[in-house]
Amino acid sequence: MVLCGHSFGGKVALMYLKHCIASGRPLPQHTWILDSIPGTYNKSLDAMQKHDSSVTYVLESVRRLYAMPTDVFRCKDSVVQALLSRDISMGMVQWIATNLVPVEDGHEKAKRVRFSFDINTIVDLFDDFCGLDMWDFVHDFARMESQQPATIHFIRAGRNTLWDPSAVAALKTLSAESSATSTYVSSPSSSASENESYKQSTAAPHGARGPLAACGGPARLAGHHRPPQLAAIGRK
């Protein structure tokens, strides 16, 4: 099995691995952590980002919709316009709007809409994500002896400034400390041949097939379009 987790889902994936080890369940051969920092998440720095890149700002903007004096949920377009007035880009607003569902009114579908999620629950989940530190587990995972090969691959979006140098340095240090750990970190300007070499080194055997599990979550950072930075932490 290959396990993938993006942003909030990255820590969900790491927690899944932790429970697999504790319960003796088989581990995924490859786990991909997509732009998710293993350590705590600095909400103060997040709040300083551009509106589209600040999870804190986007969540607060959605929560404010419920306190607006007008009936903002009378239709999808009114929700879109209200979010645009908060200086959030059309692309981000359209993504948020995919979570709108029609309100059922008896046997008739009214034009009114609502979000498919509870915003207060989302905020609580995000707060838990920010405070959860998985670095100890990542270190322990690399040092554990196992009869089955398993590798964690960290992919950093090149424009995500919340990945501070110390986090990248910690991955390099982890690799140097253990022969059972392999680490690859590329810069956003890495050549295509370097990235292709890394992909080949982590690819499954020719013709291999297996299930894919994906972990998503409420926290999403936009605007990450540069080539990713890659790091692999492996158990051999």
Side-chain angles (χ1 to χ4, degrees), residues 1 25 36 58 63 84 122 136 139 150 177 189 200 208 233:
M1 182 178 76
R25 298 181 62 183
S36 184
V58 171
R63 183 148 61 176
L84 287 174
I122 296 297
D136 285 346
H139 282 75
E177 288 178 347
S189 60
Q200 291 178 358
I233 295 179

Side-chain angles (χ1 to χ4, degrees), residues 214-233:
C215 302
R220 177 183 186 272
L221 299 181
H224 304 153
H225 304 299
R226 293 181 183 175
Q229 295 197 359
L230 308 174
I233 295 179

